[in-house]
Amino acid sequence: MSNKDEYLLKVEHLKQYFPVQQGFRKVPLKAVDDVSFAIKPGETLGLVGESGCGKTTVGRTLLRLYEPTAGKITFDGDVIFDSGEEYDEKGNVIVGADGKPIRHKKIDENMLPYRRKMQMVFQDPYSSLNPRMTVEDIIGEPLDVHKLYSTKAERREKILELMELVGLNAEHAMRYAHEFSGGQRQRIGIARALAVNPKFIVCDEAVSALDVSIQAQVINMFEDIQKKLGVAYLFIAHDLLVVHHISDRIAVMYLGKVMEIADADELNENPIHPYTLSLLSAVPIPDPETARKSKRIVLEGDVPSPLRMPSGCPFRTRCKYATEQCAKERPQLTDRGNGHMVACWNK
Ligand SMILES: Nc1ncnc2c1ncn2[C@@H]1O[C@H](COP(=O)(O)OP(=O)(O)OP(=O)(O)O)[C@@H](O)[C@H]1O
Ligand SMILES: [Mg+2]
């Protein structure tokens, strides 16, 4: 495989700042603040972290539902966005004599050719499907929009193929979305996302609203589809167990930043960042003996508001290992071996 094709998606220094009103002035809410990762074709990257840490914003910005504030996005061999900043090896923006960033030319590709290749599946299967449309119409809509058939028969055949792929019966085609359960609705949503043959799907809490027993079925379906079609996923969820099951690698976010990223098993068995340890401590352990022996870290205090971001390391205000250096300088992700990346001064 050539270097160009090694990654399907590469994200570098991605920032998403939302201007929010505070008193008389607008201040930037740093929802995503310098996030970098890459996803290979057919791979699943899990994305975890507490509510409000910026997971959804990462997904929506990648699909350009939001205009990125800064960063570089390479997809399927093409740079589709590049705000043009240059970075030094410490991860700081390189500035000129005037204190302003030195930029190369900004690239902002027309997203239309990429739209089809990147899709998103949402959490709430109840609100994301029009209840008054039949399953056939819901799945057929993207086929119509992108003119992906030449005859009515071909359209119908494609719809039935997609339904089979997600485990729906052909008899369901003429039924309305509101007649289905949550798990089945999620299957309809996925069939619709798959209709345009995407190479990458952002699954944002795609199973979080489902009952645990249904969750497992839908996750298996995601895995089967990946095996058949080779599609890559960014799999966003709160639940580390769910994410561990489906992911090849996992990224842990805190206050808009990636704190740790590693192979799923490696992250689970040898977590390094204190924040990851605390997240893993919160996962219930079924065996009481194991639970008693495990050294649990219980997090104190709340996540600070992204409008009052701590200096240096964003986690330091809740971290028992924090030192002066943590307040001064933000740690960059560094490789601790085999691509296990951690952003921490002390671990
Ligand atoms: N459109 C917006 N305008 C302003 N602020 C926003 C906007 N969208 C998100 N935010 C803020 O950005 C931060 C990250 O939000 P985001 O929804 O990405 O978090 P999340 O990790 O997906 O959380 P959850 O687990 O609850 O879904 C939050 O502080 C949120 O309030
Ligand atoms: Mg979210």
Side-chain angles (χ1 to χ4, degrees):
M1 212 184 266
S2 75
N3 219 12
K4 182 171 168 253
D5 301 322
E6 192 182 351
Y7 290 112
L8 175 66
L9 173 73
K10 193 164 181 209
V11 179
E12 294 163 85
H13 303 291
L14 186 69
K15 294 181 182 160
Q16 183 62 62
Y17 296 177
F18 295 113
V20 297
Q21 199 74 34
Q22 258 207 337
F24 291 111
R25 52 195 195 109
K26 279 225 163 88
V27 295
L29 185 151
K30 299 179 175 181
V32 174
D33 196 14
D34 202 347
V35 161
S36 304
F37 59 82
I39 304 182
K40 294 183 192 126
E43 186 186 40
T44 300
L45 178 70
L47 188 58
V48 294
E50 282 164 293
S51 185
C53 70
K55 305 180 297 295
T56 296
T57 306
V58 168
R60 297 185 67 101
T61 306
L62 290 181
L63 273 85
R64 298 295 291 281
L65 300 170
Y66 298 138
E67 196 52 25
T69 305
K72 181 174 174 184
I73 305 172
T74 312
F75 181 71
D76 210 9
D78 296 313
V79 176
I80 59 173
F81 180 83
D82 186 359
S83 57
E85 288 89 354
E86 306 274 356
Y87 290 79
D88 64 18
E89 69 275 16
K90 279 188 150 183
N92 298 314
V93 175
I94 299 175
V95 295
D98 58 358
K100 293 197 178 126
I102 297 171
R103 287 175 203 273
H104 53 263
K105 198 170 159 283
K106 179 172 171 165
I107 299 173
D108 196 357
E109 285 282 337
N110 170 12
M111 268 298 278
L112 265 186
Y114 308 101
R115 272 270 139 75
R116 254 177 64 188
K117 297 187 197 166
M118 299 171 121
Q119 294 287 313
M120 191 152 178
V121 177
F122 300 93
Q123 166 166 20
D124 185 0
Y126 290 90
S127 64
S128 57
L129 299 180
N130 183 342
R132 278 180 286 277
M133 278 170 80
T134 63
V135 173
E136 176 161 2
D137 290 338
I138 291 170
I139 302 174
E141 197 174 58
L143 297 175
D144 299 340
V145 169
H146 295 284
K147 305 194 173 50
L148 297 179
Y149 56 87
S150 38
T151 63
K152 275 249 140 60
E154 195 187 337
R155 180 180 188 270
R156 179 141 181 101
E157 199 180 310
K158 287 205 159 155
I159 291 170
L160 291 177
E161 250 172 53
L162 287 159
M163 289 179 65
E164 195 185 325
L165 198 60
V166 298
L168 291 167
N169 295 328
E171 304 92 77
H172 291 152
M174 297 314 288
R175 303 235 305 257
Y176 289 88
H178 71 83
E179 297 175 50
F180 291 91
S181 67
Q184 281 172 314
R185 275 166 182 255
Q186 205 52 294
R187 290 174 195 266
I188 301 169
I190 294 154
R192 182 175 61 179
L194 291 172
V196 294
N197 250 325
K199 293 189 171 183
F200 173 60
I201 303 181
V202 175
C203 308
D204 189 4
E205 308 275 3
V207 298
S208 307
L210 306 175
D211 287 347
V212 175
S213 59
I214 309 288
Q215 264 186 4
Q217 293 169 13
V218 176
I219 288 171
N220 288 339
M221 180 206 62
F222 271 113
E223 291 184 319
D224 289 346
I225 288 171
Q226 187 169 60
K227 273 191 211 115
K228 279 190 201 135
L229 307 179
V231 58
Y233 298 132
L234 179 67
F235 202 90
I236 300 173
H238 280 87
D239 187 334
L240 254 172
L241 284 177
V242 166
V243 173
H244 178 223
H245 181 90
I246 194 166
S247 303
D248 300 300
R249 285 183 305 130
I250 298 177
V252 178
M253 270 184 92
Y254 185 80
L255 269 182
K257 299 171 179 72
V258 173
M259 308 308 254
E260 183 161 7
I261 181 163
D263 278 350
D265 289 336
E266 164 73 12
L267 188 102
N268 210 43
E269 284 152 29
N270 301 309
I272 295 177
H273 199 285
Y275 179 59
T276 310
L277 277 158
S278 69
L279 278 185
L280 286 167
S281 297
V283 175
I285 302 173
D287 171 24
E289 182 64 11
T290 320
R292 195 180 53 76
K293 280 193 206 138
S294 76
K295 293 198 191 73
R296 292 192 166 222
I297 298 185
V298 179
L299 269 192
E300 282 170 21
D302 295 324
V303 188
S305 156
L307 288 171
R308 280 180 296 278
M309 194 82 82
S311 63
C313 172
F315 186 59
R316 71 175 169 85
T317 54
R318 300 169 86 191
C319 180
K320 63 176 180 181
Y321 305 103
T323 60
E324 255 172 54
Q325 188 183 21
C326 305
K328 282 204 196 108
E329 213 179 333
R330 178 177 160 186
Q332 296 296 318
L333 284 170
T334 53
D335 197 333
R336 312 301 173 91
N338 295 326
H340 188 154
M341 311 279 287
V342 184
C344 181
W345 292 121
N346 302 314
K347 288 279 149 182

PDB file of all heavy atoms in Angstrom, residues 139-149 154-156 158-159 162 195-196:
ATOM      1  N   ILE A 139     -34.879   4.763   2.600  1.00  0.00           N
ATOM      2  CA  ILE A 139     -33.623   4.243   2.048  1.00  0.00           C
ATOM      3  C   ILE A 139     -33.447   4.695   0.592  1.00  0.00           C
ATOM      4  O   ILE A 139     -32.333   4.891   0.118  1.00  0.00           O
ATOM      5  CB  ILE A 139     -33.591   2.694   2.153  1.00  0.00           C
ATOM      6  CG1 ILE A 139     -33.748   2.265   3.623  1.00  0.00           C
ATOM      7  CG2 ILE A 139     -32.287   2.130   1.581  1.00  0.00           C
ATOM      8  CD1 ILE A 139     -33.873   0.766   3.817  1.00  0.00           C
ATOM      9  N   GLY A 140     -34.601   4.887  -0.099  1.00  0.00           N
ATOM     10  CA  GLY A 140     -34.544   5.274  -1.522  1.00  0.00           C
ATOM     11  C   GLY A 140     -34.138   6.727  -1.733  1.00  0.00           C
ATOM     12  O   GLY A 140     -33.594   7.085  -2.776  1.00  0.00           O
ATOM     13  N   GLU A 141     -34.365   7.562  -0.704  1.00  0.00           N
ATOM     14  CA  GLU A 141     -34.110   9.004  -0.865  1.00  0.00           C
ATOM     15  C   GLU A 141     -32.673   9.325  -1.304  1.00  0.00           C
ATOM     16  O   GLU A 141     -32.476  10.024  -2.303  1.00  0.00           O
ATOM     17  CB  GLU A 141     -34.449   9.730   0.430  1.00  0.00           C
ATOM     18  CG  GLU A 141     -34.619  11.219   0.271  1.00  0.00           C
ATOM     19  CD  GLU A 141     -35.103  11.858   1.563  1.00  0.00           C
ATOM     20  OE1 GLU A 141     -34.418  11.716   2.599  1.00  0.00           O
ATOM     21  OE2 GLU A 141     -36.172  12.483   1.544  1.00  0.00           O
ATOM     22  N   PRO A 142     -31.653   8.816  -0.577  1.00  0.00           N
ATOM     23  CA  PRO A 142     -30.286   9.109  -1.040  1.00  0.00           C
ATOM     24  C   PRO A 142     -29.990   8.519  -2.431  1.00  0.00           C
ATOM     25  O   PRO A 142     -29.219   9.110  -3.203  1.00  0.00           O
ATOM     26  CB  PRO A 142     -29.385   8.467   0.018  1.00  0.00           C
ATOM     27  CG  PRO A 142     -30.251   7.594   0.848  1.00  0.00           C
ATOM     28  CD  PRO A 142     -31.651   8.087   0.693  1.00  0.00           C
ATOM     29  N   LEU A 143     -30.617   7.392  -2.765  1.00  0.00           N
ATOM     30  CA  LEU A 143     -30.431   6.825  -4.108  1.00  0.00           C
ATOM     31  C   LEU A 143     -30.978   7.795  -5.154  1.00  0.00           C
ATOM     32  O   LEU A 143     -30.384   7.986  -6.219  1.00  0.00           O
ATOM     33  CB  LEU A 143     -31.151   5.468  -4.225  1.00  0.00           C
ATOM     34  CG  LEU A 143     -30.664   4.337  -3.318  1.00  0.00           C
ATOM     35  CD1 LEU A 143     -31.561   3.111  -3.469  1.00  0.00           C
ATOM     36  CD2 LEU A 143     -29.224   3.966  -3.649  1.00  0.00           C
ATOM     37  N   ASP A 144     -32.131   8.422  -4.825  1.00  0.00           N
ATOM     38  CA  ASP A 144     -32.730   9.400  -5.743  1.00  0.00           C
ATOM     39  C   ASP A 144     -31.839  10.629  -5.870  1.00  0.00           C
ATOM     40  O   ASP A 144     -31.538  11.088  -6.966  1.00  0.00           O
ATOM     41  CB  ASP A 144     -34.104   9.864  -5.219  1.00  0.00           C
ATOM     42  CG  ASP A 144     -35.095   8.717  -5.095  1.00  0.00           C
ATOM     43  OD1 ASP A 144     -34.867   7.675  -5.747  1.00  0.00           O
ATOM     44  OD2 ASP A 144     -36.074   8.859  -4.342  1.00  0.00           O
ATOM     45  N   VAL A 145     -31.417  11.155  -4.703  1.00  0.00           N
ATOM     46  CA  VAL A 145     -30.642  12.401  -4.684  1.00  0.00           C
ATOM     47  C   VAL A 145     -29.366  12.242  -5.513  1.00  0.00           C
ATOM     48  O   VAL A 145     -28.999  13.119  -6.283  1.00  0.00           O
ATOM     49  CB  VAL A 145     -30.293  12.803  -3.235  1.00  0.00           C
ATOM     50  CG1 VAL A 145     -29.279  13.934  -3.198  1.00  0.00           C
ATOM     51  CG2 VAL A 145     -31.556  13.193  -2.480  1.00  0.00           C
ATOM     52  N   HIS A 146     -28.692  11.094  -5.358  1.00  0.00           N
ATOM     53  CA  HIS A 146     -27.420  10.913  -6.057  1.00  0.00           C
ATOM     54  C   HIS A 146     -27.586  10.135  -7.366  1.00  0.00           C
ATOM     55  O   HIS A 146     -26.596   9.749  -7.978  1.00  0.00           O
ATOM     56  CB  HIS A 146     -26.425  10.203  -5.129  1.00  0.00           C
ATOM     57  CG  HIS A 146     -26.057  11.026  -3.930  1.00  0.00           C
ATOM     58  ND1 HIS A 146     -25.185  12.085  -3.996  1.00  0.00           N
ATOM     59  CD2 HIS A 146     -26.476  10.967  -2.646  1.00  0.00           C
ATOM     60  CE1 HIS A 146     -25.067  12.638  -2.791  1.00  0.00           C
ATOM     61  NE2 HIS A 146     -25.849  11.974  -1.959  1.00  0.00           N
ATOM     62  N   LYS A 147     -28.839   9.884  -7.765  1.00  0.00           N
ATOM     63  CA  LYS A 147     -29.137   9.199  -9.040  1.00  0.00           C
ATOM     64  C   LYS A 147     -28.317   7.920  -9.191  1.00  0.00           C
ATOM     65  O   LYS A 147     -27.528   7.757 -10.121  1.00  0.00           O
ATOM     66  CB  LYS A 147     -28.875  10.155 -10.213  1.00  0.00           C
ATOM     67  CG  LYS A 147     -29.644  11.452 -10.075  1.00  0.00           C
ATOM     68  CD  LYS A 147     -29.676  12.269 -11.343  1.00  0.00           C
ATOM     69  CE  LYS A 147     -30.601  13.465 -11.214  1.00  0.00           C
ATOM     70  NZ  LYS A 147     -30.403  14.295 -10.020  1.00  0.00           N
ATOM     71  N   LEU A 148     -28.520   7.009  -8.237  1.00  0.00           N
ATOM     72  CA  LEU A 148     -27.689   5.813  -8.192  1.00  0.00           C
ATOM     73  C   LEU A 148     -28.359   4.592  -8.824  1.00  0.00           C
ATOM     74  O   LEU A 148     -28.000   3.468  -8.532  1.00  0.00           O
ATOM     75  CB  LEU A 148     -27.298   5.504  -6.744  1.00  0.00           C
ATOM     76  CG  LEU A 148     -26.436   6.570  -6.063  1.00  0.00           C
ATOM     77  CD1 LEU A 148     -26.126   6.197  -4.626  1.00  0.00           C
ATOM     78  CD2 LEU A 148     -25.128   6.787  -6.827  1.00  0.00           C
ATOM     79  N   TYR A 149     -29.333   4.821  -9.697  1.00  0.00           N
ATOM     80  CA  TYR A 149     -29.981   3.694 -10.393  1.00  0.00           C
ATOM     81  C   TYR A 149     -30.475   4.206 -11.734  1.00  0.00           C
ATOM     82  O   TYR A 149     -30.606   5.413 -11.937  1.00  0.00           O
ATOM     83  CB  TYR A 149     -31.154   3.165  -9.566  1.00  0.00           C
ATOM     84  CG  TYR A 149     -32.179   4.219  -9.240  1.00  0.00           C
ATOM     85  CD1 TYR A 149     -33.229   4.509 -10.118  1.00  0.00           C
ATOM     86  CD2 TYR A 149     -32.076   4.969  -8.073  1.00  0.00           C
ATOM     87  CE1 TYR A 149     -34.138   5.510  -9.829  1.00  0.00           C
ATOM     88  CE2 TYR A 149     -32.981   5.966  -7.775  1.00  0.00           C
ATOM     89  CZ  TYR A 149     -34.021   6.224  -8.663  1.00  0.00           C
ATOM     90  OH  TYR A 149     -34.908   7.223  -8.380  1.00  0.00           O
ATOM     91  N   GLU A 154     -34.240  -1.458 -10.652  1.00  0.00           N
ATOM     92  CA  GLU A 154     -32.904  -1.421 -10.059  1.00  0.00           C
ATOM     93  C   GLU A 154     -32.942  -0.711  -8.706  1.00  0.00           C
ATOM     94  O   GLU A 154     -32.263  -1.120  -7.758  1.00  0.00           O
ATOM     95  CB  GLU A 154     -31.956  -0.692 -11.013  1.00  0.00           C
ATOM     96  CG  GLU A 154     -30.500  -0.909 -10.680  1.00  0.00           C
ATOM     97  CD  GLU A 154     -29.571  -0.047 -11.526  1.00  0.00           C
ATOM     98  OE1 GLU A 154     -29.965   0.375 -12.632  1.00  0.00           O
ATOM     99  OE2 GLU A 154     -28.464   0.217 -11.048  1.00  0.00           O
ATOM    100  N   ARG A 155     -33.746   0.361  -8.627  1.00  0.00           N
ATOM    101  CA  ARG A 155     -33.895   1.090  -7.360  1.00  0.00           C
ATOM    102  C   ARG A 155     -34.413   0.146  -6.283  1.00  0.00           C
ATOM    103  O   ARG A 155     -33.869   0.053  -5.193  1.00  0.00           O
ATOM    104  CB  ARG A 155     -34.862   2.259  -7.555  1.00  0.00           C
ATOM    105  CG  ARG A 155     -35.113   3.095  -6.307  1.00  0.00           C
ATOM    106  CD  ARG A 155     -36.100   4.224  -6.633  1.00  0.00           C
ATOM    107  NE  ARG A 155     -36.250   5.188  -5.554  1.00  0.00           N
ATOM    108  CZ  ARG A 155     -37.153   5.082  -4.581  1.00  0.00           C
ATOM    109  NH1 ARG A 155     -37.961   4.045  -4.531  1.00  0.00           N
ATOM    110  NH2 ARG A 155     -37.239   6.019  -3.653  1.00  0.00           N
ATOM    111  N   ARG A 156     -35.461  -0.592  -6.629  1.00  0.00           N
ATOM    112  CA  ARG A 156     -36.083  -1.494  -5.674  1.00  0.00           C
ATOM    113  C   ARG A 156     -35.102  -2.594  -5.238  1.00  0.00           C
ATOM    114  O   ARG A 156     -34.985  -2.928  -4.060  1.00  0.00           O
ATOM    115  CB  ARG A 156     -37.348  -2.092  -6.299  1.00  0.00           C
ATOM    116  CG  ARG A 156     -38.030  -3.040  -5.400  1.00  0.00           C
ATOM    117  CD  ARG A 156     -39.540  -2.976  -5.423  1.00  0.00           C
ATOM    118  NE  ARG A 156     -40.006  -3.972  -4.439  1.00  0.00           N
ATOM    119  CZ  ARG A 156     -40.425  -3.694  -3.233  1.00  0.00           C
ATOM    120  NH1 ARG A 156     -40.503  -2.457  -2.828  1.00  0.00           N
ATOM    121  NH2 ARG A 156     -40.786  -4.643  -2.401  1.00  0.00           N
ATOM    122  N   LYS A 158     -31.868  -2.414  -5.172  1.00  0.00           N
ATOM    123  CA  LYS A 158     -30.853  -1.849  -4.268  1.00  0.00           C
ATOM    124  C   LYS A 158     -31.410  -1.688  -2.859  1.00  0.00           C
ATOM    125  O   LYS A 158     -30.724  -1.960  -1.870  1.00  0.00           O
ATOM    126  CB  LYS A 158     -30.392  -0.477  -4.777  1.00  0.00           C
ATOM    127  CG  LYS A 158     -29.510  -0.579  -5.988  1.00  0.00           C
ATOM    128  CD  LYS A 158     -28.587   0.625  -6.112  1.00  0.00           C
ATOM    129  CE  LYS A 158     -27.439   0.221  -6.973  1.00  0.00           C
ATOM    130  NZ  LYS A 158     -26.699   1.060  -7.683  1.00  0.00           N
ATOM    131  N   ILE A 159     -32.651  -1.230  -2.771  1.00  0.00           N
ATOM    132  CA  ILE A 159     -33.269  -1.032  -1.455  1.00  0.00           C
ATOM    133  C   ILE A 159     -33.373  -2.369  -0.723  1.00  0.00           C
ATOM    134  O   ILE A 159     -33.024  -2.477   0.456  1.00  0.00           O
ATOM    135  CB  ILE A 159     -34.658  -0.363  -1.598  1.00  0.00           C
ATOM    136  CG1 ILE A 159     -34.473   1.082  -2.081  1.00  0.00           C
ATOM    137  CG2 ILE A 159     -35.424  -0.394  -0.276  1.00  0.00           C
ATOM    138  CD1 ILE A 159     -35.750   1.776  -2.480  1.00  0.00           C
ATOM    139  N   LEU A 162     -30.000  -3.503   0.569  1.00  0.00           N
ATOM    140  CA  LEU A 162     -29.596  -2.759   1.764  1.00  0.00           C
ATOM    141  C   LEU A 162     -30.368  -3.241   2.987  1.00  0.00           C
ATOM    142  O   LEU A 162     -29.813  -3.380   4.070  1.00  0.00           O
ATOM    143  CB  LEU A 162     -29.819  -1.257   1.550  1.00  0.00           C
ATOM    144  CG  LEU A 162     -28.815  -0.603   0.600  1.00  0.00           C
ATOM    145  CD1 LEU A 162     -29.353   0.705   0.028  1.00  0.00           C
ATOM    146  CD2 LEU A 162     -27.488  -0.354   1.328  1.00  0.00           C
ATOM    147  N   ALA A 195     -26.576   3.495   1.701  1.00  0.00           N
ATOM    148  CA  ALA A 195     -27.117   3.538   0.327  1.00  0.00           C
ATOM    149  C   ALA A 195     -26.151   4.184  -0.662  1.00  0.00           C
ATOM    150  O   ALA A 195     -26.111   3.807  -1.829  1.00  0.00           O
ATOM    151  CB  ALA A 195     -28.452   4.273   0.320  1.00  0.00           C
ATOM    152  N   VAL A 196     -25.357   5.152  -0.188  1.00  0.00           N
ATOM    153  CA  VAL A 196     -24.485   5.889  -1.103  1.00  0.00           C
ATOM    154  C   VAL A 196     -23.068   5.310  -1.141  1.00  0.00           C
ATOM    155  O   VAL A 196     -22.160   5.934  -1.694  1.00  0.00           O
ATOM    156  CB  VAL A 196     -24.429   7.385  -0.724  1.00  0.00           C
ATOM    157  CG1 VAL A 196     -25.798   8.023  -0.937  1.00  0.00           C
ATOM    158  CG2 VAL A 196     -23.991   7.567   0.726  1.00  0.00           C
TER     159      VAL A 196
END
